[in-house]
Amino acid sequence: MKKISICALLLFSVFLLTSKIYAIGKSQHDLPYAVSEQTKICILCHKNVTPGIVEDWKTSRHSKITPEIALKKTALERRVSSQTIPEDIRPVVVGCYECHSQNISQHKDSFEHFGFWINVIVSPNDCRTCHAVEVEQFSGSKKAYALDNLRENPVYQKFVDAIPGIKEVGDKSIRCLIPSENSRRETCYACHGTEITVDGMKEIQTNTGSIEVPNLQNWPNQGVGRINPDGSRGACTACHPRHSFSIEIARKPYTCSQCHLEPDIPAYEVYCESKHGNIFLTKQDTWNWNNVPWKVGKDFQAPTCAACHNSLLVTPEGKEVVSRTHDFGSRLWVRIFGLIYSHPQPKNGKTYEIENKDGLPLPVTFMNEPAVEYLIDEEEQLLRKKEMKKVCNSCHSTDWVMGHFEKLDTTIIETDTMVLNTTNLMKNMWDNGFADASNPFDELIELLWVKEWFFYANSIRFASAMIGADHATFKNGWWQLTENFHEIYEYSKKCESGH
Amino acid sequence: MKKISICALLLFSVFLLTSKIYAIGKSQHDLPYAVSEQTKICILCHKNVTPGIVEDWKTSRHSKITPEIALKKTALERRVSSQTIPEDIRPVVVGCYECHSQNISQHKDSFEHFGFWINVIVSPNDCRTCHAVEVEQFSGSKKAYALDNLRENPVYQKFVDAIPGIKEVGDKSIRCLIPSENSRRETCYACHGTEITVDGMKEIQTNTGSIEVPNLQNWPNQGVGRINPDGSRGACTACHPRHSFSIEIARKPYTCSQCHLEPDIPAYEVYCESKHGNIFLTKQDTWNWNNVPWKVGKDFQAPTCAACHNSLLVTPEGKEVVSRTHDFGSRLWVRIFGLIYSHPQPKNGKTYEIENKDGLPLPVTFMNEPAVEYLIDEEEQLLRKKEMKKVCNSCHSTDWVMGHFEKLDTTIIETDTMVLNTTNLMKNMWDNGFADASNPFDELIELLWVKEWFFYANSIRFASAMIGADHATFKNGWWQLTENFHEIYEYSKKCESGH
Amino acid sequence: MKKISICALLLFSVFLLTSKIYAIGKSQHDLPYAVSEQTKICILCHKNVTPGIVEDWKTSRHSKITPEIALKKTALERRVSSQTIPEDIRPVVVGCYECHSQNISQHKDSFEHFGFWINVIVSPNDCRTCHAVEVEQFSGSKKAYALDNLRENPVYQKFVDAIPGIKEVGDKSIRCLIPSENSRRETCYACHGTEITVDGMKEIQTNTGSIEVPNLQNWPNQGVGRINPDGSRGACTACHPRHSFSIEIARKPYTCSQCHLEPDIPAYEVYCESKHGNIFLTKQDTWNWNNVPWKVGKDFQAPTCAACHNSLLVTPEGKEVVSRTHDFGSRLWVRIFGLIYSHPQPKNGKTYEIENKDGLPLPVTFMNEPAVEYLIDEEEQLLRKKEMKKVCNSCHSTDWVMGHFEKLDTTIIETDTMVLNTTNLMKNMWDNGFADASNPFDELIELLWVKEWFFYANSIRFASAMIGADHATFKNGWWQLTENFHEIYEYSKKCESGH
């Protein structure tokens, strides 16, 4: 490896000695103040090889303020949460080197790059240097375990096995081939995250010559539950994309919409068709998206995903309404999607550790018995509901808010009842051999059953929670829930009558 | 009740005497000029209990101008349409108290609130104080009767009964349980509106203590055809959301998109995929959304829903193009959605009063005979078409516009023909006992038939009217119209062959 | 015709002599400098009859700069590409007359209009006067032949025949009536373009009286492959809408979304759910949309459709990244939509000239044999991939980009395999007489087969190419690809078992 890095250094020298050096040197004047010497050298090349991200970073707060100054803000205004930040990065703005050189010894993706040890991937554990509280909150959440919650759960693996793989016509039935790693990465793991491993080094041809880089597997991926080469979990860039790390981006619903989309999680679409969404879409350009803390009514006049679920909000006079959280379920008492039935939020982010009465790692059984010991109790549910109501009460009267959540409570019961009625039909087919329960997701009738809860009951609950009439009714709502129930019923009748 | 209100006043006094009073007193300087004494007191508390809406109101025109000044504008510039406005509210800006204290004797939702009689809901009849013409126009429209047009029409009630209720497996068929009030509110009535009634008073726990409030039923709801506790019809807030009442919001298509969405009413989606939508989405931030009157070409360069359907438009030199209307059908001659077939617009907003040749309250029979005496005649149709064409002619040549509407005319005929062919298949099944016509919407084959007209023929007509190719073709267009027709045909063949 | 034009001139004179003349005369001061005398006269009337487009034009660059000045820009900054521009239009801004009077002798839609010969439609051949290179690039592209590629291809005509026409119940099966010209125009040809012909003159009634105009057929239409009355191909206005001809509009994805929409071409939806789309949707209002050349990172921080597919991009320091092209396939090596299987890009825009081993004008056979001699070879594919990678490399590392396209390569293979497995099922049904191959698109089972490749395999490939997880998975992705495969399989089993 040494040989190659010497070669790289030579290459680098040649590069510096070309005519470009003077032009670059001159334009260093564009750089923000207090850039570290190392970052200056990064930019010297990357200004030419990846100019887009250098410019993007220049628009960022990272490029404009040092941790030292950031630490002096008042508690509510502060965006760094670590109590202490290492001496060496405190007086410089947060540039390339400051992030890509953290905790090198833990990074299997670290490599010598033109004289520096550089990590390809900046992980939550690296961000922790300045943002310790956010990383801590995130690290226990369901999002942090998004990959393992899928990969380590044999029921979900059956689901994954049944969908994104190639199907062949077998002797008597369809053969579902095990989905390739590629296909998993393009589908489920695109959001849930991949496990990035390092398989030695490889030589690649770049625009500026041949270089040696770590041979990353399952890369690129920006899934929120990614497992990184340093062993940490998560990808902060899933919501704070490189290299502006803009709080505006994280606060706007477009970010959440990368994963929370219909038909399975129509959060974004329901938001857009809600009154909140209407006001956001109309007035967004007049709002203050960068203020910390975020002032209800003053900085924005309708909530976005972030406002309700995780932002620190204060009144126009500066009184805290709710505190910031990066455990995105912490203001939620009930989980309305993803599972066969609604259920109280799991106590722990590792949902694959749940064991219900059927012995399955699911928070509810197929017949809707909750695995209560793994789920938050009523007291905790009330606490979280109260927290969420604080956000609502910023604009709505207490009675309005009560009425709103009473509707949601009833809708949850009604949709779960519909799903139970459907599951009873399905269970009959399993029990009578008209379908094979060994994988409950790989036959046509089973797919119809899944749609009932995974698409339609979900949509109705999202529509109720966020007031979007279309998704309660004709867009994956009661219409489809009803039509699909009819189809399942007719199918089961046909099975029974032998046709 | 008196006892409770004394208690409330005491509570209020305690509140005033706490430390908050000084802080609040100081920040009264933020308030606009000419705020009434009553509204000042409202804000004193609500600045803390619901700060978001207080700030939102501060961004509104209501907070910045008194009716007195508003009345002095020229006819075209004026936003208040009442000839006379009561003395007491003329010299103050339109604040909390000015709206929430109108016509108290008519409001069953009026209650004593810290010393004032306050209506929870501000109704169209209250807005009439200043906006009489708009309320008058609205009050005769189909939108004003949106709830009764559903509730009082036995055919539509069968539709409602068949969809948003729980389904059970019965002895020989599916049992459609009558949908709960909750489910109706979440689905159909979310847009059509609920009837808000008052069931006495109730005590609720707020952040600032226990208070007594009217016990509203079917609340919250913002449906456009809501029936209010004062007996009036409509919710101005459906399109002019609280508390900015921004004309910008009403003029942008996001507002209309809360209800007019695919698959049944794809107005918003078709608009977005049209050339008009393209230009709007690209250039909206450079347009003047608040100008009254709205200058074609100067203030905006492509129409939104409002521009075509209800705004007052003038040329850049101030000549009126079309006048403002809040009867949203008044520039429309044909009704292209919601019913089995297209038909001339109903004469009257109360469509449940129609009686067609089958004796049903529908503007067309199942076999496409229009109930002509209830529908506008050809002369009126031409008048309305002419009105709409004035909007088109602001940018398009006469020949262009003629060609455009000729296409629409033909598309209406073709889609109605397709639906008639489908209905003939359906009628055969009803006549031959393969389906039960007692409720024409509650069997699987009937749902397919409904989709043919309610989703697909509708979409194609919207796509034609507003030039959105996708919805004419592959997105609920001719593709789905065709595929679904095949399905219905195969189903009917199977019935006939006894399988 | 002479008689009528004299009559028109008289009418015009009367119009000028009315009171309007003074107001108009006065407001000529609003006009930009260097407007030609002819255009001034156009505006004199059109300011009143179509004020919207006059105002829109005033916002355009065309109204603000003369070709003379435009020609003086540096090569990279220049927006006109013709080497020479005729003397008469060089010193004036580009107004109504300058465009609508080009090449009159070639225009069958030219007519005498108040003393001037005016073409109704401005065609690419007219735009060529100043934008020769762009018109040249476009003229050989698939887009230029979008109409003929549909109309002259008998296989596609069968597709068209099967979908947007009225269906009737025949004796033993469904009768698919040949779609009307109207329906073709509303669906396929809305995007692909119509052939605009001229059938003499006709008299029409306008707001300012009766005038004679060319009797255009298949008009209005803005399809990108339109054939114009001067024989030229294309409609520049498909992407550069009248009359602002704004580069901002062409650069924003809303333009492309008019045709490239799900379910068949979900380019826009996938973009919106990608990280690129997230950043665009959040930050678009802070970007420079009008700069030429377009500076990566400086003017914009995430690519739009235009940035990747056709814009001239430079680094912040002005070094060219990729050159401008109006052959929209020229940075593409593989074609991932529209056909049964993915395949290398056709060599020539006229795809109807292809002949594959089945003797059909399709780039692949039904069993996935490519018509290699009509498709670009591996070397050309690599060249184009390299060109596209230059765009990616502006922000992403070489390894990132390699990993990204390796995923796409694999996904293409996997989806094509799934389609082949489905086509084998379909072929069996054709071979065994369970379906009729004479038109492979007009039976229910055939429609299911088409959805497999035309909707679902397409969506997965778009999702892979642009990283949108939803469309790979649950939104027309592997879920629907799988469910639909199950349906086709069950259908084929039923056929075989005789039910």
Side-chain angles (χ1 to χ4, degrees), chain B residues 80-153:
Chain B
V80 292
S81 57
S82 301
Q83 292 303 317
T84 55
I85 295 176
E87 285 284 343
D88 56 331
I89 64 168
R90 254 196 297 190
V92 292
V93 299
V94 185
C96 324
Y97 187 75
E98 285 63 43
C99 294
H100 285 274
S101 73
Q102 290 289 313
N103 311 304
I104 280 177
S105 64
Q106 294 165 40
H107 272 272
K108 291 186 180 143
D109 59 325
S110 197
F111 72 120
E112 216 184 331
H113 184 57
F114 296 109
F116 298 102
W117 281 95
I118 295 296
N119 308 325
V120 178
I121 294 171
V122 178
S123 78
N125 194 46
D126 303 331
C127 300
R128 185 197 297 269
T129 305
C130 296
H131 305 283
V133 172
E134 289 70 32
V135 172
E136 196 53 38
Q137 289 168 338
F138 176 83
S139 69
S141 74
K142 291 194 299 295
K143 277 195 170 34
Y145 289 94
L147 172 55
D148 276 347
N149 283 343
L150 211 55
R151 197 173 56 169
E152 303 300 324
N153 186 323

Side-chain angles (χ1 to χ4, degrees), chain A residues 434 492-499, chain C residues 499:
Chain A
F434 300 131
S492 80
K493 271 203 316 188
K494 256 185 242 161
C495 288
E496 281 168 15
S497 71
H499 278 91
Chain C
H499 279 90

